Amino acid sequence: MIPIAKPLISNEEKKAVLDVLDSGIIAQGKKVKEFEEKFASYINSKYAIATSNGTNALHIALLSSNIKKNDEVITTPFSFIATANSILYTGAKPVFVDVNEDDFNINVDLIQEKITKKTKAIMPVHLYGNPCNMKALMEIAEDKNLILIEDAAQAHGAEYNNKKIGSFSTSCFSFYPTKNITTGEGGMITTNNERIDNIARMIRDHGSNKKYYHDILGYNFRMTDINAAIGIVQLNKLDEFNKKRIENAIYLNNKLNVKGLILPKIKENTKHVFHQYTIRVTKGFNKTREDLIKILTENNIGNAIHYPVPIHKQKLYQDLEYKDKLPIAEKLANEVLSLPIHPAVSKADLEYIASIITKS
Ligand SMILES: *Cc1c(COP(=O)(O)O)cnc(C)c1O
């Protein structure tokens, strides 16, 4: 089986974990601090705050930006549900803007018409590791006085105009095992805003910055030193991992020139880090997506649909009476199919994947 995702853990990570276990300090301690400093330095952000997962990184980032009940936050319907749910947790309302057909990211031209008096923030997602149009997003945010909080959970190491995603505005990363690097479970907020850094650290730790003195409502969203030790080793390998993902994606792009399959594009001035390699199986292809999935699975090729149901169509959001019609997201949900390109996929694997798809 060629799995769709695979965490790459070597002896280095194992040794780092054992060292932490032997040290006697296993919850948040100096390894978390070291991971934060190294991550901020890699991204080129002023601050980085480690959390226990990507979802609560988003939640903390919103709370630190004072997003609350009756506010509206503009976001994409074509993402993992954590994006929009983090907005719901604050009591604010996610407002969905349809995506671009060519890069699956929020369509910046449609944002304007969804802005109301209640709009406080925009939360774009760099889906599959492909950077959003940051220039346009920064302009809209500035022009309309909105906060920009980026969901960069799939975009570790991605770049826009030679600057790392995570360095533009407050951004949130995930280290879930399928992501470009992992800590088991884990998350990170990057920001250049000192006030956000201060509040985020408090919210992560029950609203406290002095032990047993609690100024605001917070949570236990801390990362452990065990997770951070894995993250420090993984961060050293991130560029190498991404290089392999990009090579694998380009290799498949060159092999899968088949009628009816739309392949991912790499835009000018961006570094796409291919968290996922996601093709579109359109009507012009000689099989349905379901038939292709069956053939891949029968031939031991892992595959997945990211995502089969746009967020506004999920039962949770239907129950919240979301009536949006977002035709591009709805169409893409019926066409997308992700194929394995993670760093453990070999040239022979790619050759095999391409041969199965092109002869099918
Ligand atoms: C993985 C992911 C998250 C959530 O991260 P967790 O670490 O799983 O909580 C949020 N948004 C997107 C786009 C993701 O892919």
Side-chain angles (χ1 to χ4, degrees):
M1 184 74 185
I2 307 171
I4 182 69
K6 183 178 176 177
L8 285 176
I9 300 293
S10 70
N11 283 333
E12 239 185 309
E13 285 87 346
K14 292 178 195 167
K15 180 171 182 309
V17 167
L18 288 178
D19 287 347
V20 170
L21 293 177
D22 286 339
S23 78
I25 295 167
I26 57 179
Q28 184 182 297
K30 65 177 198 291
K31 284 290 164 189
V32 168
K33 185 160 188 289
E34 181 185 340
F35 186 33
E36 289 177 338
E37 285 168 0
K38 288 186 166 155
F39 200 83
S41 155
Y42 176 82
I43 295 292
N44 201 19
S45 64
K46 278 198 186 141
Y47 310 100
I49 306 101
T51 61
S52 44
N53 59 59
T55 305
N56 59 34
L58 291 165
H59 187 184
I60 295 175
L62 288 159
L63 292 173
S64 308
S65 306
N66 201 27
I67 303 301
K68 55 187 184 310
K69 196 168 157 53
N70 295 324
D71 292 341
E72 292 179 358
V73 179
I74 287 176
T75 191
T76 168
F78 201 57
S79 180
F80 180 54
I81 198 155
T83 310
N85 282 2
S86 70
I87 299 166
L88 288 184
Y89 300 153
T90 67
K93 182 184 174 199
V95 173
F96 297 110
V97 165
D98 209 355
V99 295
N100 301 310
E101 192 158 347
D102 60 347
D103 71 358
F104 312 94
N105 285 331
I106 192 164
N107 183 339
V108 294
D109 295 330
L110 301 179
I111 291 178
Q112 192 87 12
E113 63 199 57
K114 296 283 179 87
I115 295 176
T116 71
K117 283 198 178 66
K118 294 179 171 179
T119 311
K120 290 285 158 58
I122 309 175
M123 182 180 279
V125 179
H126 307 289
L127 200 73
Y128 311 143
N130 192 13
C132 293
N133 182 344
M134 287 308 299
K135 182 168 180 285
L137 286 167
M138 307 267 288
E139 278 170 9
I140 295 166
E142 171 129 14
D143 198 41
K144 302 287 169 189
N145 200 16
L146 300 174
I147 298 159
L148 197 55
I149 299 172
E150 297 162 59
D151 181 339
Q154 306 186 349
H156 324 64
E159 293 175 15
Y160 180 85
N161 282 343
N162 297 315
K163 277 183 66 183
K164 288 248 158 40
I165 292 300
S167 66
F168 292 87
S169 68
T170 301
S171 301
C172 301
F173 295 84
S174 162
F175 305 116
Y176 188 73
T178 57
K179 305 288 158 100
N180 295 40
I181 54 172
T182 187
T183 61
E185 295 270 9
M188 189 77 80
I189 303 162
T190 58
T191 187
N192 298 317
N193 183 322
E194 189 181 359
R195 199 185 54 82
I196 301 266
D197 177 64
N198 284 331
I199 302 173
R201 284 176 198 286
M202 289 176 74
I203 293 172
R204 173 179 69 178
D205 200 10
H206 277 298
S208 162
N209 56 22
K210 184 177 167 200
K211 204 161 178 61
Y212 302 129
Y213 290 81
H214 305 273
D215 298 347
I216 54 176
L217 181 64
Y219 301 84
N220 175 359
F221 285 164
R222 296 183 302 265
M223 181 182 273
T224 73
D225 267 20
I226 302 168
N227 300 97
I230 301 172
I232 291 164
V233 177
Q234 289 266 303
L235 184 60
N236 279 330
K237 301 176 177 175
L238 175 56
D239 284 340
E240 187 196 319
F241 285 170
N242 281 342
K243 185 163 168 276
K244 197 78 206 301
R245 285 179 180 273
I246 295 164
E247 274 172 24
N248 287 350
I250 291 172
Y251 193 88
L252 277 188
N253 264 2
N254 289 329
K255 294 276 172 179
L256 290 181
N257 253 309
V258 181
K259 188 170 166 286
L261 293 186
I262 300 177
L263 308 178
K265 287 176 203 66
I266 299 171
K267 291 171 291 186
E268 238 180 278
N269 302 327
T270 66
K271 181 173 177 182
H272 182 333
V273 291
F274 287 97
H275 167 61
Q276 296 297 347
Y277 179 86
T278 304
I279 63 172
R280 290 169 57 196
V281 184
T282 68
K283 292 227 159 56
F285 188 59
N286 65 8
K287 280 189 185 48
T288 64
R289 180 174 66 171
E290 279 53 48
D291 287 342
L292 180 56
I293 288 171
K294 201 157 161 266
I295 291 167
L296 290 168
T297 308
E298 279 166 7
N299 286 282
N300 294 317
I301 298 169
N303 60 84
I305 298 174
H306 300 109
Y307 297 91
V309 182
I311 298 175
H312 65 290
K313 291 285 192 188
Q314 296 281 356
K315 179 164 186 305
L316 168 65
Y317 285 80
Q318 291 292 298
D319 291 348
L320 291 170
E321 314 238 317
Y322 275 79
K323 309 267 188 228
D324 304 60
K325 292 216 171 12
L326 302 163
I328 305 298
E330 288 164 29
K331 176 164 95 168
L332 291 172
N334 291 320
E335 293 181 345
V336 289
L337 182 62
S338 301
L339 301 171
I341 47 91
H342 55 80
V345 177
S346 68
K347 282 275 139 55
D349 293 334
L350 295 171
E351 203 73 62
Y352 174 66
I353 294 166
S355 77
I356 295 293
I357 294 174
T358 51
K359 77 165 189 246
S360 78

